[in-house]
Amino acid sequence: MMEFSKMQGAGNDFILVNGLKQSFKNLSELAQKLCDRHFGIGADGMMVVVPSETADIQMIYYNSDGSRGEMCGNGIRCFSRFVFEKGIVTKPSFKVETLAGIKGIELTLVDGEVEAVAVDMGSWNYETAAIPVKIDKNEFIKETISVEGKTLEMSAVLMGVPHGVIFVDEIKETETIRLGAAIEKMELFPKRINVNFVKVVNESHILVDTWERGAGKTLACGTGACASVIIAHRLGLCGSAVNVKVPGGELQISIDNEHRVMMKGKAVFVCDGLFYL
Ligand SMILES: N[C@H](CCC[C@H](N)C(=O)O)C(=O)O
C-alpha cells in the first residue's frame, strides 16, 4: 500500500507522494496508474517529494499520461503546502528545485494554516530553440497556424514548460478541447505544447482556458496563466498585475521589472489516503 494526499489548485488536481518515506521504481507508470479517473485515484498529475542538494526540497512532476513535466504552477503551490503542513519543510519561505530551475515560495499563514501560496516562477523565454518550435525564426509571436479547418494566430513562450497563447473573443470549452488537442501534437512543436485560449476583459482581468500537454483539458493551468499574461502584456493587451480567471478558480499573476513572473493562489487539501499498488 502507498500513502498519498490529493490536492487541488484552482481545480487543477494532483496526487502527492512523499518520496522521502517510500521509493518507487517507475514514476511514469505510477503516475498513469494513480491519475486514472476510473482505475486509480484520478488527477491531472502527480508530484513526488524528493531531497535536493541545491534547494530546501525537490519536486518531481508527472502528467497523467505519464510524461514528465519540467514544472507545474498549480502543482508547486500544492506541493509547497504539502511539504509545510507535513513538517518536511518548517519555514514559510523556502526554495523548491524543479527541472525548470529553483523556485522561491512564500506561504501566507492564517492561524498556522496555509491560506495562499506565492511562487517566484522565474523568467520566461521566447526563443523558438528553447520552447521548442520547429521554425526558422527566433520567436513565435502572432504566427498563423492552420488546424482543424481553422486559421488561428498563436504566440509561444517557454514558462518552464512550452505554452501557446491564442486570443479569442469568446472562450468555448468545446473549441479548447477540439483545437487544443490538435495543436498539442503538431509537428511544429517537437516536445508538444500546452495551449491557452485567452479572452482579455480589461487591462487587469483576463479569462484563460487551457488544453494541457500530457493531461488534456484541465480546470486551470498555473504556467499557462503566467504564459497568457506574459504574451498579453507583450502585445499591450494588459498591465503587469493581472487577475486570471480560469474555470476552476482564479490566480493573481504579476510581472516585475526584472523579467520575473510572480504567481499567487490557493492550494487545497482534498484528502489523505492509502493506495493499493
Ligand atoms: N502539462 C504541463 C505541466 C503541468 C502544467 C500545469 N498543470 C500548471 O499548473 O502549470 C506540461 O507538461 O507542460
Side-chain angles (χ1 to χ4, degrees):
M1 291 210 279
M2 185 203 81
E3 289 179 7
F4 72 89
S5 289
K6 177 84 188 281
M7 298 184 77
Q8 58 86 8
N12 203 189
D13 62 343
F14 307 100
I15 294 154
L16 285 102
V17 175
N18 184 344
L20 306 178
K21 286 170 75 175
Q22 45 202 334
S23 59
F24 305 94
K25 281 192 297 293
N26 186 322
L27 290 178
S28 173
E29 274 177 25
L30 182 66
Q32 293 174 74
K33 198 169 182 180
L34 295 182
C35 293
D36 188 297
R37 294 193 187 278
H38 300 286
F39 298 101
I41 303 160
D44 294 327
M46 174 188 82
M47 282 87 84
V48 185
V49 181
V50 293
S52 168
E53 288 173 14
T54 55
D56 295 291
I57 197 71
Q58 182 179 176
M59 175 178 85
I60 294 178
Y61 177 79
Y62 278 85
N63 289 300
S64 54
D65 74 348
S67 62
R68 181 85 187 262
E70 296 82 353
M71 174 52 188
C72 180
N74 290 316
I76 201 169
R77 291 202 318 278
C78 293
F79 176 92
S80 297
R81 179 170 187 182
F82 177 85
V83 296
F84 183 76
E85 295 204 14
K86 299 292 182 185
I88 297 167
V89 171
T90 55
K91 49 191 179 178
S93 301
F94 52 92
K95 304 266 188 214
V96 177
E97 178 187 349
T98 76
L99 272 187
I102 292 176
K103 308 301 175 191
I105 303 295
E106 289 290 334
L107 303 178
T108 303
L109 302 178
V110 175
D111 302 334
E113 280 244 317
V114 177
E115 202 270 326
V117 184
V119 186
D120 175 350
M121 297 288 282
S123 62
W124 57 89
N125 192 337
Y126 288 122
E127 288 165 25
T128 48
I131 295 170
V133 188
K134 219 158 76 177
I135 187 173
D136 192 12
K137 284 186 180 181
N138 280 339
E139 295 187 339
F140 194 89
I141 300 293
K142 294 180 71 170
E143 295 289 339
T144 302
I145 58 172
S146 297
V147 62
E148 291 285 306
K150 286 192 92 165
T151 300
L152 302 166
E153 188 178 82
M154 187 168 100
S155 300
V157 63
L158 183 70
M159 186 65 242
V161 292
H163 278 278
V165 176
I166 297 167
F167 292 98
V168 294
D169 295 331
E170 187 192 353
I171 285 175
K172 290 182 192 153
E173 186 185 34
T174 50
E175 288 294 86
T176 300
I177 294 167
R178 183 172 76 91
L179 300 172
I183 296 168
E184 175 194 357
K185 298 179 173 66
M186 287 174 76
E187 277 187 28
L188 199 50
F189 310 111
K191 289 189 176 176
R192 299 188 287 166
I193 197 165
N194 299 280
V195 189
N196 303 277
F197 295 84
V198 182
K199 176 176 172 57
V200 177
V201 177
N202 59 43
E203 68 140 24
S204 60
H205 289 81
I206 67 173
L207 311 179
V208 179
D209 199 25
T210 306
W211 173 271
E212 279 197 42
R213 176 182 73 165
K217 176 71 180 68
T218 60
L219 296 184
C221 178
T223 51
C226 294
S228 301
V229 169
I230 289 161
I231 297 291
H233 185 257
R234 167 152 174 175
L235 300 180
L237 302 174
C238 75
S240 56
V242 181
N243 180 297
V244 180
K245 187 140 183 40
V246 294
E250 59 184 56
L251 298 170
Q252 279 69 48
I253 310 293
S254 59
I255 300 172
D256 73 9
N257 46 26
E258 280 143 44
H259 203 88
R260 281 183 322 171
V261 184
M262 312 305 281
M263 170 186 64
K264 187 168 187 177
K266 294 194 179 302
V268 178
F269 273 100
V270 175
C271 65
D272 286 340
L274 290 175
F275 184 76
Y276 292 90
L277 285 166

PDB file of all heavy atoms in Angstrom, residues 63-79:
ATOM      1  N   ASN A  63       2.774  14.284 -15.648  1.00  0.00           N
ATOM      2  CA  ASN A  63       1.394  14.452 -16.119  1.00  0.00           C
ATOM      3  C   ASN A  63       0.647  13.124 -16.024  1.00  0.00           C
ATOM      4  O   ASN A  63       1.270  12.060 -15.890  1.00  0.00           O
ATOM      5  CB  ASN A  63       1.410  14.910 -17.586  1.00  0.00           C
ATOM      6  CG  ASN A  63       1.889  16.340 -17.767  1.00  0.00           C
ATOM      7  OD1 ASN A  63       1.312  17.275 -17.241  1.00  0.00           O
ATOM      8  ND2 ASN A  63       2.994  16.483 -18.487  1.00  0.00           N
ATOM      9  N   SER A  64      -0.673  13.201 -16.181  1.00  0.00           N
ATOM     10  CA  SER A  64      -1.490  11.980 -16.049  1.00  0.00           C
ATOM     11  C   SER A  64      -1.197  10.972 -17.168  1.00  0.00           C
ATOM     12  O   SER A  64      -1.467   9.776 -17.006  1.00  0.00           O
ATOM     13  CB  SER A  64      -2.976  12.341 -16.052  1.00  0.00           C
ATOM     14  OG  SER A  64      -3.291  13.109 -17.200  1.00  0.00           O
ATOM     15  N   ASP A  65      -0.618  11.432 -18.292  1.00  0.00           N
ATOM     16  CA  ASP A  65      -0.290  10.458 -19.366  1.00  0.00           C
ATOM     17  C   ASP A  65       1.066   9.805 -19.125  1.00  0.00           C
ATOM     18  O   ASP A  65       1.551   9.040 -19.966  1.00  0.00           O
ATOM     19  CB  ASP A  65      -0.328  11.118 -20.755  1.00  0.00           C
ATOM     20  CG  ASP A  65       0.872  12.035 -21.015  1.00  0.00           C
ATOM     21  OD1 ASP A  65       1.624  12.347 -20.040  1.00  0.00           O
ATOM     22  OD2 ASP A  65       1.060  12.457 -22.175  1.00  0.00           O
ATOM     23  N   GLY A  66       1.708  10.132 -17.996  1.00  0.00           N
ATOM     24  CA  GLY A  66       2.997   9.505 -17.674  1.00  0.00           C
ATOM     25  C   GLY A  66       4.189  10.274 -18.187  1.00  0.00           C
ATOM     26  O   GLY A  66       5.334   9.850 -17.982  1.00  0.00           O
ATOM     27  N   SER A  67       3.935  11.418 -18.871  1.00  0.00           N
ATOM     28  CA  SER A  67       5.070  12.222 -19.351  1.00  0.00           C
ATOM     29  C   SER A  67       5.567  13.135 -18.225  1.00  0.00           C
ATOM     30  O   SER A  67       4.791  13.565 -17.369  1.00  0.00           O
ATOM     31  CB  SER A  67       4.642  13.074 -20.562  1.00  0.00           C
ATOM     32  OG  SER A  67       3.608  13.981 -20.194  1.00  0.00           O
ATOM     33  N   ARG A  68       6.868  13.385 -18.233  1.00  0.00           N
ATOM     34  CA  ARG A  68       7.483  14.227 -17.192  1.00  0.00           C
ATOM     35  C   ARG A  68       7.229  15.692 -17.543  1.00  0.00           C
ATOM     36  O   ARG A  68       7.491  16.099 -18.692  1.00  0.00           O
ATOM     37  CB  ARG A  68       8.996  13.946 -17.156  1.00  0.00           C
ATOM     38  CG  ARG A  68       9.801  14.713 -16.107  1.00  0.00           C
ATOM     39  CD  ARG A  68       9.796  14.020 -14.761  1.00  0.00           C
ATOM     40  NE  ARG A  68      10.438  14.835 -13.715  1.00  0.00           N
ATOM     41  CZ  ARG A  68      11.714  14.671 -13.312  1.00  0.00           C
ATOM     42  NH1 ARG A  68      12.474  13.764 -13.883  1.00  0.00           N
ATOM     43  NH2 ARG A  68      12.208  15.438 -12.341  1.00  0.00           N
ATOM     44  N   GLY A  69       6.756  16.493 -16.629  1.00  0.00           N
ATOM     45  CA  GLY A  69       6.640  17.937 -16.869  1.00  0.00           C
ATOM     46  C   GLY A  69       7.779  18.628 -16.124  1.00  0.00           C
ATOM     47  O   GLY A  69       8.028  18.313 -14.952  1.00  0.00           O
ATOM     48  N   GLU A  70       8.442  19.581 -16.773  1.00  0.00           N
ATOM     49  CA  GLU A  70       9.588  20.239 -16.122  1.00  0.00           C
ATOM     50  C   GLU A  70       9.131  21.098 -14.940  1.00  0.00           C
ATOM     51  O   GLU A  70       9.870  21.323 -13.984  1.00  0.00           O
ATOM     52  CB  GLU A  70      10.326  21.125 -17.147  1.00  0.00           C
ATOM     53  CG  GLU A  70      10.971  20.386 -18.310  1.00  0.00           C
ATOM     54  CD  GLU A  70      10.000  20.043 -19.441  1.00  0.00           C
ATOM     55  OE1 GLU A  70       8.760  20.258 -19.267  1.00  0.00           O
ATOM     56  OE2 GLU A  70      10.472  19.551 -20.476  1.00  0.00           O
ATOM     57  N   MET A  71       7.879  21.594 -15.050  1.00  0.00           N
ATOM     58  CA  MET A  71       7.385  22.487 -13.992  1.00  0.00           C
ATOM     59  C   MET A  71       5.854  22.434 -13.981  1.00  0.00           C
ATOM     60  O   MET A  71       5.251  21.992 -14.944  1.00  0.00           O
ATOM     61  CB  MET A  71       7.894  23.895 -14.309  1.00  0.00           C
ATOM     62  CG  MET A  71       7.423  25.023 -13.447  1.00  0.00           C
ATOM     63  SD  MET A  71       7.648  24.773 -11.681  1.00  0.00           S
ATOM     64  CE  MET A  71       6.740  26.196 -11.083  1.00  0.00           C
ATOM     65  N   CYS A  72       5.255  22.817 -12.878  1.00  0.00           N
ATOM     66  CA  CYS A  72       3.790  22.834 -12.778  1.00  0.00           C
ATOM     67  C   CYS A  72       3.413  23.933 -11.782  1.00  0.00           C
ATOM     68  O   CYS A  72       3.775  23.833 -10.607  1.00  0.00           O
ATOM     69  CB  CYS A  72       3.290  21.477 -12.311  1.00  0.00           C
ATOM     70  SG  CYS A  72       1.493  21.407 -12.147  1.00  0.00           S
ATOM     71  N   GLY A  73       2.741  24.954 -12.263  1.00  0.00           N
ATOM     72  CA  GLY A  73       2.470  26.129 -11.419  1.00  0.00           C
ATOM     73  C   GLY A  73       1.465  25.834 -10.318  1.00  0.00           C
ATOM     74  O   GLY A  73       1.719  26.098  -9.131  1.00  0.00           O
ATOM     75  N   ASN A  74       0.313  25.263 -10.685  1.00  0.00           N
ATOM     76  CA  ASN A  74      -0.671  24.914  -9.649  1.00  0.00           C
ATOM     77  C   ASN A  74      -0.111  23.803  -8.764  1.00  0.00           C
ATOM     78  O   ASN A  74      -0.334  23.769  -7.556  1.00  0.00           O
ATOM     79  CB  ASN A  74      -1.981  24.451 -10.292  1.00  0.00           C
ATOM     80  CG  ASN A  74      -2.713  25.595 -10.971  1.00  0.00           C
ATOM     81  OD1 ASN A  74      -2.821  26.691 -10.434  1.00  0.00           O
ATOM     82  ND2 ASN A  74      -3.207  25.357 -12.183  1.00  0.00           N
ATOM     83  N   GLY A  75       0.671  22.935  -9.415  1.00  0.00           N
ATOM     84  CA  GLY A  75       1.245  21.814  -8.671  1.00  0.00           C
ATOM     85  C   GLY A  75       2.235  22.250  -7.616  1.00  0.00           C
ATOM     86  O   GLY A  75       2.224  21.748  -6.487  1.00  0.00           O
ATOM     87  N   ILE A  76       3.083  23.252  -7.926  1.00  0.00           N
ATOM     88  CA  ILE A  76       4.097  23.641  -6.949  1.00  0.00           C
ATOM     89  C   ILE A  76       3.465  24.359  -5.753  1.00  0.00           C
ATOM     90  O   ILE A  76       4.008  24.308  -4.632  1.00  0.00           O
ATOM     91  CB  ILE A  76       5.208  24.482  -7.617  1.00  0.00           C
ATOM     92  CG1 ILE A  76       6.489  24.441  -6.765  1.00  0.00           C
ATOM     93  CG2 ILE A  76       4.751  25.922  -7.861  1.00  0.00           C
ATOM     94  CD1 ILE A  76       7.710  25.021  -7.451  1.00  0.00           C
ATOM     95  N   ARG A  77       2.290  24.970  -5.968  1.00  0.00           N
ATOM     96  CA  ARG A  77       1.590  25.577  -4.821  1.00  0.00           C
ATOM     97  C   ARG A  77       1.095  24.463  -3.894  1.00  0.00           C
ATOM     98  O   ARG A  77       1.279  24.512  -2.668  1.00  0.00           O
ATOM     99  CB  ARG A  77       0.422  26.448  -5.268  1.00  0.00           C
ATOM    100  CG  ARG A  77       0.804  27.718  -5.994  1.00  0.00           C
ATOM    101  CD  ARG A  77      -0.289  28.782  -5.954  1.00  0.00           C
ATOM    102  NE  ARG A  77      -1.615  28.232  -6.173  1.00  0.00           N
ATOM    103  CZ  ARG A  77      -2.106  27.963  -7.376  1.00  0.00           C
ATOM    104  NH1 ARG A  77      -1.356  28.147  -8.456  1.00  0.00           N
ATOM    105  NH2 ARG A  77      -3.332  27.468  -7.520  1.00  0.00           N
ATOM    106  N   CYS A  78       0.496  23.417  -4.492  1.00  0.00           N
ATOM    107  CA  CYS A  78       0.015  22.280  -3.676  1.00  0.00           C
ATOM    108  C   CYS A  78       1.194  21.583  -3.007  1.00  0.00           C
ATOM    109  O   CYS A  78       1.164  21.270  -1.810  1.00  0.00           O
ATOM    110  CB  CYS A  78      -0.747  21.302  -4.560  1.00  0.00           C
ATOM    111  SG  CYS A  78      -2.293  21.975  -5.215  1.00  0.00           S
ATOM    112  N   PHE A  79       2.280  21.371  -3.784  1.00  0.00           N
ATOM    113  CA  PHE A  79       3.492  20.725  -3.256  1.00  0.00           C
ATOM    114  C   PHE A  79       4.010  21.502  -2.047  1.00  0.00           C
ATOM    115  O   PHE A  79       4.394  20.922  -1.021  1.00  0.00           O
ATOM    116  CB  PHE A  79       4.545  20.691  -4.379  1.00  0.00           C
ATOM    117  CG  PHE A  79       5.885  20.148  -3.982  1.00  0.00           C
ATOM    118  CD1 PHE A  79       6.186  18.800  -4.140  1.00  0.00           C
ATOM    119  CD2 PHE A  79       6.871  20.980  -3.464  1.00  0.00           C
ATOM    120  CE1 PHE A  79       7.440  18.288  -3.782  1.00  0.00           C
ATOM    121  CE2 PHE A  79       8.120  20.476  -3.087  1.00  0.00           C
ATOM    122  CZ  PHE A  79       8.393  19.144  -3.253  1.00  0.00           C
TER     123      PHE A  79
END
